[in-house]
C-alpha cells in the first residue's frame, strides 16, 4: 500500500498531503511490518530489532547502535531520516 494511502487510512493529520511528512515510527512500539516500511530495514534487521527489544526496550540511539551488529552512526542517520525514532527522538550524532 502506498505510504500516502496508509497514512490516510491510519489517521494522518492531513499535513502529509500539504507536503509535510510527519510520519515517524517508534522502534520500541512498531511491529515487524511497520519497521519494514522504513527505508533501510528489511526482514533480517527487523527480526534483529524485535529480538533485542524483547530483551529490553532501546534506551536511546547509542543503545540501539550498540545492540545491533552492522548499525553504526551512518546507518542510524539514514534510518532516522527515513522516520525511525528511538524514545521519540531522531538520531543525533554524538
Amino acid at each position: 500500500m502506498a505510504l500516502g494511502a496508509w497514512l490516510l487510512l491510519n489517521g494522518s493529520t492531513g499535513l502529509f498531503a500539504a507536503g509535510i511528512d510527519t510520519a515517524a515510527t517508534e522502534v520500541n512500539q512498531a511491529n515487524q511490518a511497520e519497521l519494514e516500511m522504513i527505508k533501510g530495514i528489511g526482514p533480517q534487521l527487523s527480526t534483529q530489532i524485535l529480538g533485542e527489544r524483547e530483551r529490553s526496550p532501546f534506551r536511546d540511539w547509542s543503545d540501539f547502535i550498540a545492540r545491533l551488529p552492522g548499525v553504526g552512526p551512518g546507518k542510524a542517520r539514514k534510518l532516522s531520516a527515513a522516520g525511525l525514532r528511538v524514545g521519540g527522538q531522531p538520531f543525533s550524532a554524538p
Side-chain angles (χ1 to χ4, degrees), residues 6 25 30-38 41-43 46-47 50:
W6 183 87
T25 301
N31 63 34
Q32 188 160 11
E34 292 166 335
L35 289 170
E36 290 178 16
M37 289 181 71
I38 299 291
I41 299 180
S46 67
T47 299
L50 293 172

Side-chain angles (χ1 to χ4, degrees), residues 27-30 49-58 67:
V27 73
N28 287 315
Q29 297 173 351
I49 290 169
L50 293 172
E52 282 297 319
R53 194 175 76 192
E54 278 184 25
R55 290 183 29 207
S56 65
F58 294 100
R67 291 168 51 189

Side-chain angles (χ1 to χ4, degrees), residues 2 7 9 13 19 24-26 28 30 32-33 42 49 53 60-62 71 73-74 76 88-89:
L7 288 171
L9 292 173
T13 63
T25 301
E26 173 56 47
N28 287 315
Q32 188 160 11
I49 290 169
R53 194 175 76 192
D60 53 30
W61 278 99
S62 60
V71 176
Q89 300 299 309

